[in-house]
Amino acid sequence: MGGMARLFKAEDYFNCPPWIESEKWNDYRLKYSAASKGNESLLQVDLELADNCNYRCLECPISDDLISRKINKLTDEDIDLILKSSAENGALALKLNYINEPLLDIKRILNTAKKAHDYGFVDIYFTTNGSLLTYKNSIKLIESKLISRIQVSIDAFTKDTYDKIRRGGDFEKVKKHIQDFIELRKTYNTLFPKIRVSFLTLPENKHESKLFYDYWNELVDAVALQSSVMKPNSKREDDTKSYKKLRTSFCPNPFRQLVVRADKSVLPCCSFWGDQMRLGMIEDDDSLGHLFKSKKMNEIRETFKNKDKKLKTYCEQCLSSCDPTTDD
């Protein structure tokens, strides 16, 4: 989960979908921008419907014990409570995953998106590894007129590098899925859902970042080059002197969003490290609003607003786990 990202062609990528009133969309983007600069407001909720995945990616904690552990899954009642509470607290954006693969259950994704739309969410999107962005699923996503954008994590320009990082995936299949999706949009005469591809910089792939950008920039709606955040139990070394710049960076996530995991725990951000700072659990309609305004959340925000304050340990470890050789 890269916290430091350069997004190319961002202006067009965040255009208003045709099924949303432009006034509502513009109001949402203004609020989101203000929250990202420290004017705290619960604008987004990341919702993990089930904590499962079909990949075993190199730097993803969900891969560590996926075979042996029980898969958590939110009930329909849980989802409805979370969406209702989110909307009542002002949320307008819904990301339909955390670190799981959402397209393992596209029916549930679309049902949840429809509920969110009915509750007033204007920006509904998700991140995927692209393995299940098949022709059939692409048609469902396009025809739904619910999904604003789809972010596909690739992290490689060559098959050899892809196989090292995104273990369990098929590089050529994912590339074809994206290309087919773009062609399929043309047959529907639409620009939505928007497609973004992401490159999370790791020691194994950093030499391919420019090749990745040059290849995809003319094909998709946006390209994201992100500095990596290593998982908490990563074996890589942390050279604290090298990470000084990133340690002092401003993190916008605690000012604008919450993450709800499939076990109903609530996190302050979408980083891997957010799971180490659980705020509490979803218990009732008041949980999200209460947790967003909680003492723990305010303390996290204060450390980013006030440079004289020491970052929370996990915030510091998150920022210090970013690759210092990138400028993202």
Side-chain angles (χ1 to χ4, degrees), residues 255-322:
F255 295 87
R256 67 190 184 197
Q257 72 182 91
L258 289 174
V259 175
V260 182
R261 296 218 62 180
D263 63 0
K264 298 201 287 186
S265 61
V266 182
L267 318 181
C269 70
C270 59
S271 165
F272 295 149
W273 293 89
D275 198 45
Q276 309 296 312
M277 298 189 289
R278 297 189 176 205
L279 300 171
M281 303 290 289
I282 292 292
E283 297 174 349
D284 52 42
D285 289 351
D286 297 327
S287 297
L288 279 176
H290 172 73
L291 292 173
F292 188 73
K293 298 173 184 176
S294 66
K295 179 181 178 182
K296 188 172 184 178
M297 194 67 162
N298 285 330
E299 287 176 349
I300 294 171
R301 286 191 283 256
E302 186 60 30
T303 64
F304 286 104
K305 289 192 291 187
N306 188 341
K307 294 296 182 181
D308 293 330
K309 288 186 175 290
K310 181 176 173 56
L311 291 177
K312 295 292 183 180
T313 299
Y314 292 121
C315 292
E316 185 175 86
Q317 289 175 321
C318 174
L319 290 176
S320 69
S321 70
C322 294

Side-chain angles (χ1 to χ4, degrees), residues 148-313:
S148 307
R149 46 205 164 95
I150 299 170
Q151 302 177 166
V152 186
S153 299
I154 303 178
D155 307 334
F157 177 71
T158 63
K159 181 182 184 303
D160 286 346
T161 300
Y162 187 87
D163 291 344
K164 291 177 186 176
I165 297 171
R166 305 201 66 79
R167 299 175 300 193
D170 187 321
F171 180 62
E172 295 300 332
K173 182 183 289 186
V174 171
K175 284 175 61 180
K176 188 175 189 306
H177 284 169
I178 296 171
Q179 292 160 354
D180 287 347
F181 186 92
I182 293 169
E183 290 303 313
L184 191 56
R185 279 194 322 193
K186 293 177 183 177
T187 68
Y188 279 86
N189 193 29
T190 182
L191 297 174
F192 292 86
K194 297 280 189 175
I195 285 283
R196 162 186 141 176
V197 295
S198 301
F199 186 97
L200 192 64
T201 307
L202 294 164
E204 291 82 1
N205 68 1
K206 63 174 64 179
H207 61 287
E208 294 186 357
S209 62
K210 186 178 187 305
L211 292 169
F212 180 90
Y213 172 80
D214 290 343
Y215 177 80
W216 286 108
N217 188 46
E218 298 303 321
L219 296 177
V220 297
D221 300 302
V223 176
L225 301 180
Q226 301 171 269
S227 57
S228 61
V229 174
M230 305 300 187
K231 61 185 178 181
N233 63 347
S234 175
K235 304 301 182 185
R236 306 189 198 284
E237 295 182 1
D238 172 11
D239 180 351
T240 54
K241 292 182 180 179
S242 300
Y243 298 112
K244 185 177 180 181
K245 178 182 176 182
L246 287 172
R247 283 184 179 230
T248 59
S249 296
F250 180 83
C251 180
N253 293 330
F255 295 87
R256 67 190 184 197
Q257 72 182 91
L258 289 174
V259 175
V260 182
R261 296 218 62 180
D263 63 0
K264 298 201 287 186
S265 61
V266 182
L267 318 181
C269 70
C270 59
S271 165
F272 295 149
W273 293 89
D275 198 45
Q276 309 296 312
M277 298 189 289
R278 297 189 176 205
L279 300 171
M281 303 290 289
I282 292 292
E283 297 174 349
D284 52 42
D285 289 351
D286 297 327
S287 297
L288 279 176
H290 172 73
L291 292 173
F292 188 73
K293 298 173 184 176
S294 66
K295 179 181 178 182
K296 188 172 184 178
M297 194 67 162
N298 285 330
E299 287 176 349
I300 294 171
R301 286 191 283 256
E302 186 60 30
T303 64
F304 286 104
K305 289 192 291 187
N306 188 341
K307 294 296 182 181
D308 293 330
K309 288 186 175 290
K310 181 176 173 56
L311 291 177
K312 295 292 183 180
T313 299

